[in-house]
Amino acid sequence: WLKNIFTKKQALPTRSLDFSTIPHWLTEQKKQKCSALQPSFTQLQQDLARILSDLRTHLDILQNAQLMNANIPEKANQFRLGNKNEFLKRATTLADTLIIPDSIDTFTSSLTVNLATIKDFAEGTVRPLAILTEFHAHEAKAIAADVASLERALHTYREIHYGSLLHLHDKLTAQH
C-alpha cells in the first residue's frame, strides 16, 4: 500500500483526434472489428441454425409422444393434452419467429427481438412445462435445453460484439 503512494504512476498513452475525423476513424475501427468478429459471427449463425433444427426435431418428437402408462384418468389426460398443445404452440412460435441475423450490422436489432422472444416464451411456458414434465419429461426437457442453448449462444456472441467498438459507432451514426 505504501509503495503505491510513493511510486510514480506511468502515464497512459494518449491519442489526439480532430473532431472532423472521428466519423472516418470510427468507420475504419468498425471495419477492423467486423473483420475480426466475422469468424465468431459465422459460428453464431451456424450454431443458431443447428439449435433451431434440433428444436424443431424435438418439437416433432413431443408432438408424436405417447404416454408410457396410458392408464390415467380422463381428466388428467385432458389436462396433459391441453398443456402439451399450449407448450407446442408457443415453442413452434418461438422457432418460427427467431431471427438468424444475416450480417453483423443487423445483429443488434435481431438480438433485442430474439432475447425478448425467448423471454416471452420462458415466462409463458412455466406452467405448461411443469405439467408436461410429469407426462413427457425427456421430450419437454430436451426442448427446454434447446431454448437455453439458443439464449446462451446469443449472450455469448453479445459479449463478444459489445466488447468491440461496433456499438459505439452505431450509436454515434444513429444520432446524425
Side-chain angles (χ1 to χ4, degrees):
W1 179 75
L2 287 174
K3 287 182 183 178
N4 290 337
I5 294 175
F6 296 111
T7 58
K8 186 175 182 180
K9 293 184 180 181
Q10 295 177 344
L12 296 175
T14 59
R15 290 177 79 177
S16 62
L17 290 173
D18 183 20
F19 282 116
S20 63
T21 63
I22 289 178
H24 176 69
W25 179 80
L26 284 173
T27 304
E28 289 300 316
Q29 292 296 315
K30 183 176 180 178
K31 285 180 187 176
Q32 290 174 5
K33 296 293 182 179
C34 282
S35 63
L37 287 175
Q38 192 59 45
S40 297
F41 182 74
T42 303
Q43 183 64 43
L44 171 74
Q45 288 176 313
Q46 292 169 352
D47 288 348
L48 289 179
R50 179 187 49 78
I51 295 168
L52 280 174
S53 173
D54 291 347
L55 177 62
R56 286 188 174 95
T57 301
H58 290 132
L59 287 171
D60 289 340
I61 291 170
L62 178 61
Q63 178 71 38
N64 299 321
Q66 299 296 321
L67 286 174
M68 294 294 226
N69 180 9
N71 197 15
I72 63 170
E74 183 63 28
K75 188 170 184 171
N77 194 36
Q78 290 174 352
F79 199 57
R80 172 190 72 88
L81 289 175
N83 284 288
K84 179 180 173 181
N85 290 337
E86 176 67 20
F87 184 79
L88 284 169
K89 181 178 83 171
R90 289 181 182 259
T92 303
T93 302
L94 171 72
D96 293 341
T97 58
L98 208 71
I99 302 166
I100 297 177
D102 53 354
S103 70
I104 292 177
D105 294 331
T106 61
F107 172 74
T108 305
S109 60
S110 66
L111 175 70
T112 305
V113 171
N114 286 342
L115 290 178
T117 303
I118 291 172
K119 181 180 178 188
D120 290 343
F121 171 78
E123 290 173 352
T125 59
V126 171
R127 183 174 176 265
L129 179 61
I131 293 167
L132 202 56
T133 55
E134 295 294 322
F135 299 101
H136 303 289
H138 297 296
E139 295 88 350
K141 287 180 181 176
I143 293 170
D146 290 337
V147 173
S149 295
L150 283 170
E151 189 173 24
R152 198 174 316 111
L154 290 170
H155 281 297
T156 300
Y157 189 77
R158 180 179 71 175
E159 289 173 9
I160 294 168
H161 179 79
Y162 284 116
S164 68
L165 290 177
L166 291 177
H167 68 284
L168 178 63
H169 178 268
D170 292 342
K171 286 181 182 178
L172 288 175
T173 56
Q175 293 177 355
H176 292 290

